Amino acid sequence: MPDAPCSRGRAVVCGGGLAGLLAACVLAEGGFAVTVVEPDPAGASGRPRPGAPQGHHAHGLFVRGVRVLEELLPGIVGELTTRGAIAVDVGAEYALASRFGRGASFVAGKHMLAAGRPLLEAAVRRRALARPGVTVLTGHRADHLTGCDGRVTGVVVREATGGTRRLLEAELMVDATGRASRADRWLTALGYPAVRVSVVDAGLAFASRLYRPPARRPPWQVCHVMITPPPARGGIIMPIEDDRWLVTLCGLGADRPTKGEHDFLPYARTLHQPDLADALEEATALSGVTLTHACANRRRHLDRPTPQPHNLILVGDAACCFNPLYAQGMTAAVLTARTLRGHLARHRSAEGFAPAFHRALAPLHDACWAQATTADTLLADAAGPGLTRRRRLLARHSQNVMAAGTRDPVVQEAFLDVVHMLSPPTTLLTPRVLARLVRLRISPVARHRPH
């Protein structure tokens, strides 16, 4: 059972995106009075927050993310679909095309959720504000932390327009400020050593715009053409609320898309599979093009033994952010909130709270990081540490699985279960999957050719 409201003191959450709002819900449930500090205006416009550039691009909540979100906030999936979010059967309604062809179609009975980022965040914000003791301070940003004796005592916030400053005292601090987090500066200012950071950057760019779907609908809900160099280009059509498509094109290095509206459809025509461009030919553009380049994988290694405050935790992209190409971020935020809920129940003392939480979060980050950075490093323009021989072999085997998945729905389902974080990557090495690859006479990846 959760504690009585406010029985554990004050928590301040810096950042009002999905990770911060979910943390606020869990902390309120666990007995904290919570203040969420958000520099952007209240999210009532239906547009992505200025502080979340990725909000302009295609988003999806993985199957596991949908299930855990419903566990954390019962009834929210029904609320979201009532407001226009689309439940997509990942086997029958998600057309996924790799270098080997389109994945086999089958009824999976497993649904991801497609929606605009503002719709999802607004629903979670309503749930957070409905909790006793939760308030949101909009139009303010965290300036610096105060602290002594191994703990943070508060955060100095100021108006986002540069106004007056004030101190918010807290027993627990949460940094959910995303890719722009200044946690490194905050910690060194308090006398702590710099946090070790890993970065892998594939040099990716996203270009997105909204469309009205054609009257004659295609046989899929989502069309995803994976990046398949050369050329290193891909794209996705994601349905969102109000009968719209959010279309994102992506590319690496010299194959990056541009912001030019007249370049959008010609770029889509260069993808290795024509369905996406064919669908856009009959659709109606509703917006200009939004271009984003900030897509590097970046991880702060707070799970390693290092001096850090007992009561400052990092969640979401502030702790570990991934290339948005792999769509892990929202599901990782949901799973982080569940980890925090369990940690609050087990760890009653403030002593060592944050280091223990960061260690508990490490397996989730390890899994997402391995998937994203392995794929990025294998792309020609990736920058960052090289792969171990084991990871290269696993990546090669994943390519074999994708090739088999174009012909075998059982293999395709196993692959999708890994993508949607329902199963670990090791399930692709089980005898059941390996036997089907042998039966299909899947050749080494170097010899594969698209169908």
Side-chain angles (χ1 to χ4, degrees), residues 224-286:
H224 184 184
V225 182
M226 300 174 68
I227 290 184
T228 305
R233 301 181 177 193
I236 186 167
I237 294 176
M238 187 73 72
I240 64 170
E241 62 277 8
D242 300 326
D243 191 29
R244 295 174 295 167
W245 280 348
L246 181 50
V247 184
T248 296
L249 303 176
C250 50
L252 301 168
D255 287 310
R256 294 175 183 174
T258 73
K259 196 174 181 178
E261 295 180 19
H262 296 295
D263 297 334
F264 202 83
L265 182 56
Y267 185 100
R269 277 282 170 221
T270 68
L271 304 186
H272 62 82
Q273 208 274 353
D275 282 1
L276 188 149
D278 288 347
L280 294 187
E281 286 278 11
E282 301 182 30
T284 303
L286 299 175

Side-chain angles (χ1 to χ4, degrees), residues 150-166:
R151 62 184 296 272
V152 171
T153 55
V155 56
V156 175
V157 302
R158 60 179 173 82
E159 291 179 312
T161 54
T164 57
R165 301 182 182 186
R166 61 169 165 153

Side-chain angles (χ1 to χ4, degrees), residues 278-303:
D278 288 347
L280 294 187
E281 286 278 11
E282 301 182 30
T284 303
L286 299 175
S287 72
V289 177
T290 301
L291 187 69
T292 299
H293 291 90
C295 304
N297 304 280
R298 183 182 301 273
R299 182 175 185 180
R300 291 182 168 93
H301 292 281
L302 286 163
D303 55 301

Side-chain angles (χ1 to χ4, degrees), residues 20-288:
L21 292 169
L22 287 170
C25 289
V26 168
L27 290 170
E29 177 188 85
F32 284 91
V34 185
T35 299
V36 179
V37 180
E38 170 54 56
D40 295 326
S45 66
R47 294 189 296 271
R49 292 175 293 110
Q54 69 272 26
H56 293 274
H57 306 295
H59 278 75
L61 190 61
F62 286 167
V63 175
R64 190 177 179 205
V66 173
R67 294 176 179 178
V68 175
L69 182 63
E70 181 68 15
E71 173 190 318
L72 292 171
L73 304 174
I76 195 167
V77 173
E79 177 187 339
L80 284 164
T81 54
T82 298
R83 294 178 181 270
I86 296 97
V88 178
D89 186 296
V90 297
E93 299 175 320
Y94 194 123
L96 179 63
S98 70
R99 59 186 292 194
F100 311 109
R102 186 187 297 172
S105 180
F106 61 97
V107 176
K110 303 167 188 174
H111 294 84
M112 63 170 289
L113 206 60
R117 181 87 171 226
L119 178 71
L120 184 60
E121 289 185 349
V124 178
R125 178 186 288 258
R126 283 191 294 272
R127 293 300 187 97
L129 289 174
R131 299 283 175 108
V134 176
T135 59
V136 178
L137 180 63
T138 59
H140 288 71
R141 68 175 70 252
D143 188 80
H144 64 273
L145 304 179
T146 60
C148 63
D149 299 327
R151 62 184 296 272
V152 171
T153 55
V155 56
V156 175
V157 302
R158 60 179 173 82
E159 291 179 312
T161 54
T164 57
R165 301 182 182 186
R166 61 169 165 153
L167 173 66
L168 300 178
E169 296 181 342
E171 281 69 43
L172 179 65
M173 287 292 309
V174 181
D175 181 2
T177 55
R179 286 178 175 267
S181 169
R182 295 187 293 167
D184 308 293
R185 188 185 308 175
W186 290 345
L187 288 170
T188 55
L190 290 175
Y192 292 93
V195 178
R196 182 188 159 209
V197 178
S198 296
V199 179
V200 175
D201 189 356
L204 187 80
F206 288 111
S208 296
R209 71 188 309 192
L210 291 166
Y211 280 81
R212 181 73 65 201
R216 185 179 62 180
R217 299 300 175 97
W220 37 258
Q221 289 271 27
V222 176
C223 179
H224 184 184
V225 182
M226 300 174 68
I227 290 184
T228 305
R233 301 181 177 193
I236 186 167
I237 294 176
M238 187 73 72
I240 64 170
E241 62 277 8
D242 300 326
D243 191 29
R244 295 174 295 167
W245 280 348
L246 181 50
V247 184
T248 296
L249 303 176
C250 50
L252 301 168
D255 287 310
R256 294 175 183 174
T258 73
K259 196 174 181 178
E261 295 180 19
H262 296 295
D263 297 334
F264 202 83
L265 182 56
Y267 185 100
R269 277 282 170 221
T270 68
L271 304 186
H272 62 82
Q273 208 274 353
D275 282 1
L276 188 149
D278 288 347
L280 294 187
E281 286 278 11
E282 301 182 30
T284 303
L286 299 175
S287 72

Side-chain angles (χ1 to χ4, degrees), residues 391-425:
R391 284 178 66 181
R392 286 190 178 277
L393 288 174
L394 287 173
R396 181 169 176 156
H397 178 66
S398 295
Q399 296 286 301
N400 286 331
V401 169
M402 282 193 284
T406 63
R407 298 152 60 188
D408 188 330
V410 173
V411 175
Q412 183 68 2
E413 182 169 20
F415 172 71
L416 291 174
D417 281 352
V418 172
V419 169
H420 286 271
M421 302 171 73
L422 296 170
S423 301

